[in-house]
Amino acid sequence: RRQRQMCIRDRPHHVTILPFTRLQGGPMDYTPGIFVMDVAEVNPGNHSHVNATLANQLALYVTMYSPLQMAADLPEHYEKYMDAFQFIKDVAIDWDESRYLLAEPGDYIVVARKAKGTGEWFVGGVTDENRRTVTLPFDYLAPGKEYVATLYADAPDADYQTNPQAYVIRTGKVGQRTELDVEMARGGGFAISIREATDADRKLRRLKYREMPCGRQSCRGPAQPAPALNPYPGTAADDSRPPGLHCQPACGTRQCPATATECPHSPLK
């Protein structure tokens, strides 16, 4: 009910302020976990809208501290998004340690919490009405260990008003020195579950927000005709790669124009 009221009076920035106001007085019941934002699907006479993306709703399980949690939407709504519902099944409800990684009240907040009595960590981040990219540190993890992180994030076309159910899920390895760029949609956010890696995870690759054809989290360069010899500045020469379109390093662009078949030989994989 509280989240349904949110659609009437609360804008996306509201959840970036509460950790610095109401939550300073102790835990609060915020009833997160709304997956279907159009209230008309529940009540045809009500055309209000919850001002959040689905990934934002997952993040609230971490950013809003409450040792008594709930799944606030209808079972039939969760059945449509069971892969995202996995985070609600996994997330802890009480914590041994909390780290506020990034924050600007009214704009965004990113929180990491260690589950009580375990070595698992959970991270949540939310933003206001502005799309933004944040760089996540993982320096709270134990040194010398590998972890498996599952990221639930806004899809590139997500938007709290026009496309709130657009999300991506990525799983990969992280460590204490990992830094990860994550983009949050307008009114969006992300959630991450982290556990210690086992032998069964040895084939997992490093965690990436986006899977680019070159295998990087974000493309570092446009497709360019590759010379016969070393076309990758800063890497070892390899003249066995045939000419074609390849992702060159160091340009900093975030979209990879090469297709998967055009960029199969990149050493950046």
Side-chain angles (χ1 to χ4, degrees):
R1 184 176 177 182
R2 170 67 188 87
Q3 279 284 49
R4 295 302 180 188
Q5 293 171 351
M6 176 183 170
C7 65
I8 299 173
R9 63 181 184 221
D10 294 342
R11 308 305 298 174
H13 69 269
H14 187 62
V15 295
T16 73
I17 296 174
L18 287 175
F20 303 98
T21 54
R22 167 60 183 84
L23 280 159
Q24 292 299 300
M28 68 180 295
D29 178 19
Y30 200 70
T31 61
I34 301 297
F35 279 15
V36 175
M37 310 305 168
D38 289 323
V39 180
E41 294 196 25
V42 179
N43 181 358
N46 187 334
H47 299 286
S48 300
H49 185 83
V50 176
N51 293 315
T53 66
L54 189 152
N56 174 291
Q57 289 288 301
L58 295 180
L60 296 180
Y61 284 93
V62 183
T63 63
M64 301 288 197
Y65 171 54
S66 175
L68 180 63
Q69 277 293 10
M70 67 176 298
D73 213 329
L74 300 177
E76 52 267 37
H77 291 170
Y78 290 129
E79 287 175 351
K80 299 177 183 178
Y81 308 100
M82 288 304 296
D83 54 350
F85 186 72
Q86 185 63 45
F87 182 82
I88 298 178
K89 295 169 64 177
D90 293 341
V91 68
I93 59 172
D94 209 1
W95 316 98
D96 279 337
E97 184 178 349
S98 296
R99 303 276 188 102
Y100 287 76
L101 305 179
L102 304 164
E104 184 64 44
D107 292 336
Y108 59 89
I109 183 170
V110 179
V111 182
R113 302 190 195 270
K114 186 179 181 183
K116 195 165 189 175
T118 78
E120 295 181 345
W121 285 83
F122 295 87
V123 184
V126 293
T127 186
D128 59 3
E129 294 86 343
N130 298 303
R131 178 179 293 271
R132 71 181 72 245
T133 299
V134 294
T135 300
L136 302 181
F138 291 82
D139 54 2
Y140 47 86
L141 299 177
K145 290 185 177 181
E146 282 195 318
Y147 293 82
V148 174
T150 299
L151 168 69
Y152 304 79
D154 294 316
D157 59 344
D159 185 277
Y160 80 97
Q161 291 179 317
T162 61
N163 198 16
Q165 279 88 19
Y167 61 90
V168 295
I169 300 175
R170 303 275 187 252
T171 298
K173 290 181 180 179
V174 296
Q176 187 190 44
R177 296 184 178 181
T178 298
E179 289 189 345
L180 180 70
D181 290 342
V182 179
E183 186 175 0
M184 294 185 282
R186 295 193 322 127
F190 64 89
I192 308 176
S193 61
I194 305 172
R195 61 172 175 82
E196 194 168 335
T198 66
D199 289 342
D201 304 310
R202 61 184 179 276
K203 293 184 178 180
L204 277 179
R205 295 168 62 180
R206 307 302 293 179
L207 178 64
K208 306 173 181 66
Y209 166 58
R210 292 184 183 172
E211 290 290 349
M212 294 297 180
C214 59
R216 295 185 64 90
Q217 172 190 327
S218 57
C219 184
R220 304 297 288 283
Q224 299 286 349
L229 295 178
N230 184 15
Y232 310 96
T235 66
D238 181 354
D239 59 5
S240 67
R241 289 186 290 270
L245 292 176
H246 300 277
C247 293
Q248 303 273 41
C251 95
T253 58
R254 297 194 62 79
Q255 297 293 331
C256 183
T259 67
T261 56
E262 290 171 332
C263 190
H265 304 289
S266 171
L268 303 180
K269 285 186 177 182

